[in-house]
Amino acid sequence: MYNSDIPSRAELPTSRQLLRSTLIAIVAALAILITIVLPAEYNIDPTGVGRVLGLAQMGEIKVQLAEEAERDRQMDQNSTVLAPGSSLFGRVFAALVVSPASAQTASRQDVTTLTLTPGQGAEIKLVMKAGAKADYSWTVAGGVVNFDTHGDGGGKSISYEKGRAVPGDDGVLEAAFDGNHGWFWRNRGSADVTLTLKTSGAYAEIKRTD
């Protein structure tokens, strides 16, 4: 009824052959792990093969992105301040407590240009009073950057906006409290980029804090 031949005992692999095949598979798996998986996933390249193949750079980017994600998570946990105008109580409190004289700051304009090498970060902050506003726009020539718009001062911190691989941004920055408010950028590309920041509005000072 069945035409298939049953292999004889002589045709079956011996224990020695099976052991040898198993050892070869283990060695091949270890080679792939060391030369491909570790460089590409964890930026660990003990043999140098991963960098030659370009996998180490991939692993470095993944590790950097993981570190940035962890930094973003910690900043989100530490950000306990709500943006101004988020509640009726906040608006009433600001109107009653902050006097018009203290809230007003002479308007100014600035243009700041900086160059970021691969992997380099930079931070620029505006010294602002609570409720003060500043128009801004920034552009990147030669690539893109990751950014985090945030503020800190008086033991408070807040994150306004974040982005990855962005060529530019613009808008209005409204200070949630007295302190330093601005941007952190990092160049994750392989070439230098030039970033130009234009600001105008109610802030007392602009400074680089990195």
Side-chain angles (χ1 to χ4, degrees), residues 16-173:
R16 183 183 297 275
Q17 290 174 329
L18 290 174
L19 178 60
R20 184 176 61 180
S21 299
T22 302
L23 291 176
I24 292 174
I26 292 174
V27 171
L30 287 175
I32 293 173
L33 175 66
I34 294 173
T35 60
I36 297 178
V37 176
L38 290 180
E41 295 296 332
Y42 304 102
N43 193 26
I44 299 174
D45 189 15
T47 64
V49 174
R51 186 162 297 278
V52 173
L53 297 177
L55 299 174
Q57 292 85 345
M58 184 189 304
E60 182 179 356
I61 292 173
K62 289 184 177 181
V63 171
Q64 290 172 346
L65 290 176
E67 292 175 350
E68 287 191 357
E70 177 63 19
R71 176 174 173 269
D72 292 344
R73 185 187 65 81
Q74 292 178 356
M75 290 188 65
D76 289 340
Q77 290 179 348
N78 295 333
S79 297
T80 57
V81 180
L82 294 177
S86 59
S87 67
L88 177 60
F89 174 78
R91 293 194 294 269
V92 173
F93 179 81
L96 294 176
V97 176
V98 181
S99 65
S102 63
Q104 293 179 355
T105 302
S107 180
R108 59 179 290 174
Q109 296 182 352
D110 294 279
V111 177
T112 306
T113 301
L114 50 88
T115 299
L116 298 178
T117 59
Q120 183 181 6
E123 186 175 62
I124 290 180
K125 293 288 186 65
L126 308 179
V127 179
M128 306 174 72
K129 294 289 186 180
K133 297 181 180 180
D135 295 320
Y136 71 89
S137 68
W138 56 265
T139 56
V140 181
V144 294
V145 295
N146 297 349
F147 78 95
D148 183 0
T149 307
H150 61 281
D152 59 81
K156 302 175 181 178
S157 64
I158 185 172
S159 179
Y160 297 103
E161 186 181 8
K162 302 170 187 174
R164 299 182 187 278
V166 178
D169 190 32
D170 61 76
V172 178
L173 179 60

Side-chain angles (χ1 to χ4, degrees), residues 185-199:
W185 302 277
R186 187 175 296 279
N187 176 15
R188 291 303 189 189
S190 58
D192 293 357
V193 299
T194 300
L195 189 147
T196 302
L197 169 67
K198 298 180 180 180
T199 55

